[in-house]
Amino acid sequence: MSTIVVARKGNMACIAADTLTTFGDIRLGSGLDRNHDKLQTFGKTHMGIVGSAAHTLVAERAFNDKAVKADFSTRDSAFDTLIRLHPVLKEQFFLNSKDAEDDPYETSQMDAVFINKNGIFALYSLREVYEFNQFWAVGSGSFYALGAMHAVYNKYKSAKDIARAGVEAGAEFDTSSQLPLTMQTVKLSPSATLS
């Protein structure tokens, strides 16, 4: 899968991702993959999606669909976007929305983290949306990334350095993550800056 992280410190937010694609036991590194960057930009939001490699192309098309009216500016607007997105995923992109029999809702089959001037966020397959104060991670390397970012958060001064530590830990210990990493940063709006 991947290691994709978000971090915020002071008035800056950063998203960073490894660049390895895997197909079962086959690894496609950045040197062979012309489209190895896992970070996508939709409007003023930078997002990294984990799960199936197909999610990248689907997201590019679906989030630009006028019917979806993609807006990830806040937790509430992201949730509303996911509600509009789900039928589009099923009808236009043939999403298999069935997961476990006891799931309370149909799944959208993708997890992601994203940043914009309003903060750092994550979305999950049952359309849960979370906003974070410090950092978060998704993907198979997320456990390592969370531990690394926790260890350095109070020591490092920049969101960029914290995010780098997370992805580097994921790439070091997770077999489905690999450097180099890619990253994007945004300046947070004054209303989003934590005191």
Side-chain angles (χ1 to χ4, degrees), residues 3-190:
T3 303
I4 307 179
V5 307
V6 291
R8 62 181 290 165
K9 192 89 180 231
N11 67 346
M12 296 298 290
C14 181
I15 185 169
D18 79 291
T19 52
L20 178 68
T21 299
T22 57
F23 307 98
D25 291 334
I26 298 174
R27 297 164 47 97
L28 175 61
S30 63
L32 295 174
D33 185 358
R34 289 188 73 177
N35 300 296
H36 62 270
D37 192 345
K38 296 177 182 179
L39 302 180
Q40 298 171 274
T41 301
F42 305 105
K44 295 184 179 183
T45 295
H46 302 290
M47 182 178 291
I49 302 169
V50 296
S52 171
H55 292 331
T56 301
L57 291 170
V58 168
E60 287 171 0
R61 283 150 182 81
F63 292 156
N64 289 312
D65 186 316
K66 290 183 176 154
V68 173
K69 298 179 202 150
D71 179 358
F72 296 100
S73 58
T74 67
R75 181 176 180 252
D76 287 339
S77 63
F79 175 76
D80 292 339
T81 296
L82 296 176
I83 295 300
R84 291 187 300 272
L85 173 68
H86 191 69
V88 171
L89 291 176
K90 288 174 64 175
E91 294 164 18
Q92 292 182 25
F93 299 99
F94 312 104
L95 171 73
N96 178 3
S97 60
K98 195 133 178 94
D99 210 10
E101 285 296 322
D102 59 348
D103 277 346
Y105 302 98
E106 290 183 348
T107 176
S108 293
Q109 302 286 5
M110 65 175 72
D111 299 335
V113 288
F114 60 97
I115 65 169
N116 55 49
K117 69 178 184 173
N118 297 314
I120 62 173
F121 305 85
L123 61 86
Y124 290 93
S125 62
L126 298 180
R127 286 161 300 288
E128 311 103 302
V129 181
Y130 294 91
E131 183 175 5
F132 304 101
N133 291 327
Q134 296 178 340
F135 55 83
W136 198 247
V138 293
S140 55
S142 64
F143 298 113
Y144 308 112
L146 288 168
M149 291 187 294
H150 173 75
V152 302
Y153 190 82
N154 290 324
K155 296 174 185 170
Y156 289 5
K157 294 183 183 192
S158 78
K160 196 173 180 178
D161 290 339
I162 295 161
R164 180 183 307 282
V167 174
E168 286 177 348
E172 180 70 25
F173 297 105
D174 174 50
T175 59
S176 296
S177 300
Q178 181 176 297
L179 297 177
L181 62 81
T182 60
M183 62 175 47
Q184 294 286 336
T185 58
V186 296
K187 186 174 183 180
L188 296 168
S189 69

